[in-house]
Amino acid sequence: MKTPTLSYRCLAGFLLLFSFLRFLSAAHGPSEFKVGLILDMNSTVGKVCRIVAGMAHDDFYAAHPASSARLRLLPRDSHRDVLDAAAAAMDLLVNEEVHAILGPQTSVESPFVADLGEYANVPVVSFSATSPAVSPSCNPFFVRAAASDAAQVAAIAALVQAFAWTSVVPVYEDSDYGTALLPVLADALDAVGAAVPYRCAVSLADSDDRISAELYRLKTLQTRVFVAHVTLRLARRLFPLVRQAEMMAKGSVWIVTEGLTSQFATIVDSQHFLAEFLQGVIGVKPYVPWSPRLRRFNRRWRREFLRENHESDITELNNFGIWAYDAVWAVAAAANRLGPAAASHDFRRPNTTPSSTDFSRMGVSSTGPKLLNFIKTAEFEGLAGRFRLHDGELAVAAYQIVNVDGGSVREIGFWTEKHGLSSDLNSTAGNKLRPVIWPGYSTSVPRGWETPTGGRRLQVVVPGSPNQTLQFQSFVSMKYDSETNQTRASGFVIDVFEAAVRRLPYALPFDYIPYRNANGSGGGDYNALVKLVADQVYDAVVGDVSITANRSLIVDFTLPFTVSGVSMVVPLRDGHSSTAWIFHKPLTADLWLTSVVFFIFTGAVVWILEHRTNEEFQGTAGQQMGITFYFAFSTLVFAHRENLTSNLSRMVVIIWVFVVLILQSSYTASLTSMLTVQKLNPTLSSFEELNKTGLRIGYLNNSFTKGLLLHLGFQESRLRPFRSPEQYHQALADGSVAAIVDEVPYLRVFLRDYCNNYSMAEQIYKTSGFGFVSPSARRGRSKVGEKMLMSVFCGALQVFRKGSPLVADLSRAILNLTEGNEMTEIERKWFGDQTTCPNQGSVLSPDTRSLNAKSFWGLFLITGAVSLLCCLFYSLRSVYRDRLSLTGVVSGRSFGRRLLSIARLFDGQGNGDPPGAPRSGKRMEIGAATAGASPSSLQSSSDQESRTSTSDDSFTGSSSPELGISQIHEAMPHPGEPEENH
């Protein structure tokens, strides 16, 4: 009996121990972490994300088996309805007390669910709500584990800029998803110079007829670049209607945002929908690198998905499914970091009554703030790459640019904030994409606009009327053709406009409309004409319309094609100079001074070379100075009569006479030009002088020059309007006005016929010329614009509305026109050869320029160098010849007496002779000094003198005998000897 009892006791103990162990394992096992999952279970994205979320749950805990908290996903169906999504969130928060919510699926459902999460301190993590209408900055407990729609507008704007499109029309879904993107998109397009002339809103509630009506309205506009920001449900209705309206044809551009681009791979019957309705579309979506891990997961997911959806054609995972996988991992990782605190999760509920609503019974999570922080700081390698949140939103490094071509989606490039558009992700070559197949299977880049289908022809208004005599008909005129019963425009401006239109790559039908003012008569103020274009009464202006700052505020001008500037024309008067001192004007002061110095220098050189051997350069000091100056300045008129005995002096004089000849000829030519050529001078030489005179001034009627003159301080009583070049001439001729102030092109036309009587003075102000005009959406005027009234006149013959694509096309055509010969031919046709009149278009200048020393420094250098070399040669020869005499003269004397003796020796005198004494007197004194000498000594001295004289004459060419230096030295008293011995 004891044995069975023992056996039962052992079995009972074992069971008790097993129960205790189970209790311990249950107490210390992973805690349950409830997470709600709100999706539209009937949608493609909902089905994909539900399966992906389950697989992510399993994969995380297979990789982390020791996790302290284990997610429990609680799916709820929103039925794609805001109220159902809110009800599902209330159920999860009140009844299930979830730690976090994944979803909701759409951007429309997210704001209210995010508000509930903020109230309950429960994080709401969405992987598919991309609209900026809800963001972590506005809802602190909202986390976007996906890319915001606002981040893609930079890539879209870069595409618009790369293809030089200037106008874009957004086609958006009229919901929180669509409208929230428009302000951000418009700002991005404005930053690259693209306008948004119209916004097309369509809704799921709209009928097909209503959507088609909007599309046909778009078709009547010029813009052909569209950005579609719609959901997949609306896209399935919209793009078939787009094709039906023939707006997916050649020349159109459609760019779809990432909400639709990310679902290209999951569109049911995608080949048919893509090939038929989205051919040529460009899509933008966040770039997800295709890694081996993602490829393996995609195969697993496809098997799971097809097991539940047998008839589905979906074969690839889209971005929303990939982001859903990473979002589940982020929440699971945050729960794991939360650890034991997840088990203590509770809701602090308010005191409620049984009749209270669900909202009033909602509690506040105690672990929500900490869990939110763990989710926002989570970082790991996910399916989409490195998972990292920035300010509560998924950080996307690059956007992928794709192109729909024949039912397939082809990658054509990338966009990054650092490098912009590029064909490869690692490429740094900006604005380089792979070839694009555009709608209509076109490979040429669409220009982005077309002439509206069924629209009226371009209404081009031309200043003037057939019954009015225009001011300057060379520029523009209107004539009535009785044979064709039509009004024809002609003139320089018209020819340039039509030549530019011919260079456009497309046909531009237009009609000329004569401009009539408020009274019904032709002509009038050009400011009023420009305003008619701004008010969309006319499409453009073609005429001699000046580009001014205040006009450019309301319209667009093409590039100018004429010269710019405002100047004045004044009469010419006899300009013969009556001054008595005009003879000095041909030469500047430095040339006068240099010439005088070289005259004196040359005379001195000739005296040095001639005075010892030439009696004409001898005599007293006064006589020698007089003959030197006379000889030097007589070379000016080639009247010198002195005979030169030295070859060196002859060489100096020959060179100097050549220099004098050049100076004399130049002086004569310059003086003649001053007295005869410069006959006419302007009555006024500058605008400042005109302003001080108080005289009357003429200007072109209806021109902006009147406002310019008033702005510059002229009294209106001094201004006189005129209408034609003939009136200009008559007013200037009879003295009614002192000057005509007008724009340079008009003044050149006037001077073409009257250039012999008038001349154009200095240019007052630069302007930008004539331009074609286009209206502007900006109607305001700034004070700066009003003050800058004078700021433009270059020939802007075309005026268009602000933002008109014709402005850029015609500007390019004008540039091509001006670079060729056609513009020259048009100018010659209407203005003739403007170089035939010497005074035409010339700016007044001072009298003929005087000659200066810089023009002749080479001649002065030559004559100076020759003179110095001759002096040097003469000095060296004299020193060598008289070396014995020099030794006797300088020995035993003071420095001063040495210099004096050398000077007297150079002058040909003995010691004690007065300087400048006649050479015959020297001979007499020497004869007296030697009277007591013996006949033999005299004969010897005479023979030596004869030999010395003969030697000197043989060198200098002189035939007159005179004493040599050695004889003079012998006759002079020697140092240390008493004079009485001599």
Side-chain angles (χ1 to χ4, degrees):
M1 296 296 297
K2 293 181 179 180
T3 304
T5 303
L6 181 60
S7 299
Y8 286 127
R9 289 179 178 177
C10 291
L11 180 60
F14 177 77
L15 292 175
L16 182 61
L17 179 62
F18 179 75
S19 300
F20 179 74
L21 292 175
R22 287 191 60 187
F23 173 77
L24 290 177
S25 65
H28 297 282
S31 60
E32 185 179 66
F33 195 89
K34 295 181 180 180
V35 177
L37 181 62
I38 303 177
L39 297 171
D40 178 13
M41 301 302 178
N42 293 323
S43 67
T44 302
V45 174
K47 293 176 182 179
V48 170
C49 292
R50 182 178 61 82
I51 295 176
V52 167
M55 297 176 66
H57 174 275
D58 297 340
D59 290 350
F60 181 84
Y61 292 108
H64 304 83
S67 298
S68 59
R70 190 176 185 87
L71 265 61
R72 178 188 171 192
L73 297 178
L74 302 175
R76 294 292 187 271
D77 193 351
S78 67
H79 302 97
R80 207 178 189 86
D81 184 81
V82 177
L83 294 179
D84 287 347
M90 289 290 298
D91 176 59
L92 292 170
L93 293 173
V94 175
N95 299 324
E96 298 292 343
E97 296 185 350
V98 295
H99 294 73
I101 295 177
L102 286 169
Q105 179 178 322
T106 66
S107 299
V108 179
E109 302 164 355
S110 296
F112 190 52
V113 174
D115 289 339
L116 293 176
E118 182 182 5
Y119 182 86
N121 283 358
V122 172
V124 176
V125 183
S126 178
F127 44 80
S128 56
T130 58
S131 173
V134 56
S135 65
S137 61
C138 299
N139 302 85
F141 278 81
F142 178 78
V143 178
R144 197 195 314 273
S148 172
D149 285 341
Q152 67 180 323
V153 296
I156 296 174
L159 280 171
V160 173
Q161 184 181 30
F163 292 108
W165 296 319
T166 59
S167 183
V168 179
V169 173
V171 180
Y172 62 98
E173 184 172 327
D174 193 8
S175 63
D176 290 344
Y177 170 75
T179 57
L181 184 66
L182 283 189
V184 185
L185 178 62
D187 291 343
L189 293 175
D190 183 68
V192 297
V196 180
Y198 183 73
R199 303 179 182 185
C200 178
V202 293
S203 173
L204 283 169
D206 293 338
S207 63
D208 289 351
D209 292 339
R210 166 74 175 79
I211 297 176
S212 296
E214 281 294 325
L215 294 177
Y216 279 105
R217 182 176 182 179
L218 290 181
K219 196 173 181 180
T220 61
L221 303 177
Q222 291 181 332
T223 304
R224 288 296 179 268
V225 181
F226 307 99
V227 175
H229 183 57
V230 295
T231 59
L232 179 59
R233 290 178 63 190
L234 184 57
R236 291 184 179 279
R237 293 179 54 196
L238 174 65
F239 282 99
L241 297 176
V242 169
R243 182 185 178 189
Q244 182 179 344
E246 298 181 353
M247 295 182 64
M248 194 62 79
K250 183 179 179 180
S252 298
V253 179
W254 285 87
I255 303 174
V256 296
T257 57
E258 64 93 9
L260 183 58
T261 307
S262 296
Q263 299 188 64
F264 278 172
T266 59
I267 294 178
V268 179
D269 193 15
S270 60
Q271 294 294 323
H272 170 74
F273 185 79
L274 291 175
E276 293 294 327
F277 306 115
L278 297 179
Q279 169 60 40
V281 167
I282 295 179
V284 177
K285 67 176 182 177
Y287 173 63
V288 175
W290 195 251
S291 62
R293 178 187 175 188
L294 179 58
R295 187 178 296 108
R296 291 192 299 269
F297 179 81
N298 187 68
R299 289 196 297 264
R300 290 172 49 214
W301 167 83
R302 186 187 304 120
R303 290 193 298 268
E304 293 292 333
F305 184 79
L306 294 178
R307 186 178 296 116
E308 297 183 12
N309 304 275
H310 306 287
E311 298 179 356
S312 177
D313 292 334
I314 300 175
T315 58
E316 291 187 6
L317 201 59
N318 59 23
N319 281 0
F320 297 128
I322 297 173
W323 291 335
Y325 184 94
D326 290 345
V328 173
W329 269 64
V331 174
N336 191 34
R337 292 178 61 187
L338 194 62
S344 62
H345 169 70
D346 62 340
F347 276 74
R348 298 187 297 273
R349 296 179 180 277
N351 296 326
T352 58
T353 62
S355 61
S356 300
T357 61
D358 289 342
F359 187 80
S360 62
R361 293 187 293 111
M362 183 185 302
V364 178
S365 173
S366 60
T367 59
K370 184 178 293 187
L371 178 64
L372 176 66
N373 181 61
F374 288 155
I375 294 175
K376 287 185 175 182
T377 57
E379 189 171 346
F380 55 88
E381 288 296 331
L383 283 184
R386 192 68 180 173
F387 182 89
R388 183 187 298 109
L389 298 178
H390 179 70
D391 293 334
E393 295 181 337
L394 184 65
V396 178
Y399 276 85
Q400 186 179 21
I401 314 298
V402 298
N403 180 216
V404 179
D405 180 18
S408 62
V409 180
R410 185 170 55 89
E411 178 186 284
I412 59 174
F414 298 88
W415 178 89
T416 60
E417 185 177 0
K418 182 178 181 180
H419 300 297
L421 294 176
S422 57
S423 57
D424 297 312
L425 185 60
N426 298 323
S427 175
T428 59
N431 294 344
K432 297 293 184 180
L433 295 176
R434 296 170 189 169
V436 181
I437 304 299
W438 304 98
Y441 293 94
S442 173
T443 57
S444 59
V445 178
R447 60 178 175 270
W449 73 282
E450 294 286 350
T451 302
T453 303
R456 60 185 176 88
R457 296 163 63 90
L458 198 70
Q459 301 295 299
V460 177
V461 62
V462 178
S465 66
N467 299 325
Q468 178 192 10
T469 301
L470 294 180
Q471 301 163 344
F472 285 82
Q473 298 191 25
S474 299
F475 287 101
V476 60
S477 63
M478 298 288 290
K479 295 182 180 179
Y480 178 74
D481 190 348
S482 57
E483 297 181 359
T484 60
N485 196 25
Q486 292 181 348
T487 301
R488 297 187 178 276
S490 62
F492 170 71
V493 171
I494 300 299
D495 284 0
V496 173
F497 171 68
E498 294 178 353
V501 170
R502 288 194 298 269
R503 290 175 178 263
L504 295 177
Y506 48 86
L508 182 66
F510 60 88
D511 294 320
Y512 290 124
I513 308 297
Y515 171 49
R516 300 184 182 277
N517 55 27
N519 299 327
S521 59
D525 185 11
Y526 278 21
N527 288 328
L529 173 61
V530 171
K531 193 174 185 303
L532 290 177
V533 180
D535 295 337
Q536 302 186 12
V537 178
Y538 300 108
D539 296 316
V541 174
V542 173
D544 50 343
V545 182
S546 301
I547 307 173
T548 61
N550 58 340
R551 293 173 183 174
S552 64
L553 295 175
I554 59 175
V555 294
D556 278 344
F557 291 87
T558 60
L559 289 178
F561 58 89
T562 65
V563 294
S564 63
V566 176
S567 187
M568 70 175 180
V569 166
V570 295
L572 295 173
R573 62 185 175 188
D574 188 0
H576 280 294
S577 178
S578 58
T579 177
W581 302 99
I582 192 175
F583 68 88
H584 80 278
K585 289 185 178 180
L587 306 183
T588 59
D590 60 340
L591 184 54
W592 278 113
L593 181 60
T594 304
S595 300
V596 170
V597 169
F598 269 85
F599 270 109
I600 298 174
F601 172 73
T602 304
V605 170
V606 173
W607 175 81
I608 292 173
L609 299 177
E610 291 286 334
H611 84 286
R612 294 185 61 185
T613 59
N614 194 336
E615 293 183 355
E616 296 187 26
F617 288 88
Q618 297 173 1
T620 63
Q623 291 175 338
Q624 295 185 50
M625 183 175 297
I627 195 64
T628 299
F629 277 92
Y630 171 76
F631 175 83
F633 286 97
S634 64
T635 58
L636 181 62
V637 291
F638 311 105
H640 50 284
R641 294 291 184 266
E642 292 75 15
N643 293 321
L644 302 179
T645 61
S646 174
N647 288 333
L648 295 176
S649 58
R650 291 167 183 165
M651 181 184 302
V652 170
V653 171
I654 289 174
I655 300 298
W656 173 244
V657 168
F658 175 74
V659 174
V660 170
L661 177 63
I662 299 299
L663 287 174
Q664 186 188 59
S665 301
S666 302
Y667 175 86
T668 303
S670 181
L671 182 61
T672 303
S673 175
M674 290 183 179
L675 294 175
T676 59
V677 176
Q678 190 72 18
K679 296 179 180 179
L680 299 177
N681 289 329
T683 55
L684 297 168
S685 60
S686 66
F687 184 74
E688 289 75 12
E689 184 179 354
L690 174 65
N691 200 2
K692 295 177 182 178
T693 58
L695 300 175
R696 289 184 294 271
I697 305 167
Y699 68 94
L700 184 63
N701 189 35
N702 293 326
S703 172
F704 76 94
T705 52
K706 178 181 179 181
L708 167 63
L709 293 171
L710 293 175
H711 174 73
L712 295 176
F714 284 87
Q715 297 180 357
E716 189 171 2
S717 59
R718 297 176 56 189
L719 307 182
R720 297 290 184 271
F722 299 103
R723 303 184 60 86
S724 66
E726 292 76 14
Q727 293 182 359
Y728 281 179
H729 170 60
Q730 183 178 356
L732 289 171
D734 59 20
S736 300
V737 295
I740 298 293
V741 177
D742 206 344
E743 298 165 280
V744 172
Y746 295 129
L747 296 182
R748 287 189 172 180
V749 172
F750 170 71
L751 290 175
R752 179 189 59 187
D753 300 324
Y754 302 101
C755 63
N756 292 325
N757 300 320
Y758 311 102
S759 182
M760 189 187 304
E762 63 178 352
Q763 181 172 302
I764 303 173
Y765 287 104
K766 278 189 173 292
T767 57
S768 298
F770 291 154
F772 302 125
V773 184
S774 160
S776 166
R778 301 168 184 167
R779 305 295 178 86
R781 272 190 191 178
S782 64
K783 295 182 179 180
V784 175
E786 294 176 355
K787 292 181 179 180
M788 295 277 301
L789 188 63
M790 73 292 294
S791 64
V792 194
F793 175 103
C794 291
L797 46 96
Q798 302 169 356
V799 183
F800 293 95
R801 300 173 185 173
K802 275 286 187 181
S804 174
L806 273 174
V807 175
D809 290 346
L810 278 173
S811 294
R812 283 189 289 268
I814 290 173
L815 284 178
N816 293 331
L817 188 65
T818 54
E819 291 175 357
N821 296 325
E822 189 172 0
M823 178 65 78
T824 304
E825 296 298 328
I826 296 175
E827 291 177 348
R828 185 177 292 110
K829 171 185 176 181
W830 291 103
F831 305 130
D833 189 0
Q834 297 188 1
T835 62
T836 56
C837 181
N839 292 329
Q840 180 179 351
S842 63
V843 178
L844 300 182
S845 60
D847 292 341
T848 304
R849 187 180 63 178
S850 300
L851 302 174
N852 54 42
K854 292 182 180 179
S855 303
F856 302 96
W857 71 270
L859 293 174
F860 290 125
L861 177 63
I862 293 173
T863 185
V866 171
S867 298
L868 290 176
L869 289 175
C870 290
C871 285
L872 179 62
F873 182 79
Y874 175 78
S875 301
L876 294 177
R877 188 195 65 182
S878 298
V879 170
Y880 177 77
R881 185 186 59 188
D882 300 328
R883 59 188 180 278
L884 297 177
S885 301
L886 286 173
T887 302
V889 168
V890 302
S891 59
R893 297 190 180 186
S894 64
F895 180 74
R897 292 184 60 85
R898 291 178 184 178
L899 292 180
L900 182 60
S901 299
I902 293 174
R904 289 175 174 175
L905 181 62
F906 176 75
D907 192 35
Q909 300 173 10
N911 193 12
D913 296 333
R919 192 65 55 95
S920 60
K922 296 177 187 176
R923 293 193 182 102
M924 292 171 61
E925 294 177 5
I926 294 172
T930 57
S934 63
S936 60
S937 63
L938 289 176
Q939 180 64 34
S940 175
S941 176
S942 177
D943 295 340
Q944 185 177 358
E945 178 184 355
S946 176
R947 288 194 301 270
T948 306
S949 177
T950 304
S951 176
D952 182 66
D953 291 342
S954 66
F955 182 82
T956 61
S958 175
S959 59
S960 59
E962 60 184 29
L963 292 176
I965 297 299
S966 58
Q967 282 78 8
I968 297 175
H969 174 66
E970 292 176 357
M972 292 176 62
H974 294 279
E977 295 183 4
E979 292 188 10
E980 53 269 14
N981 294 336
H982 296 275

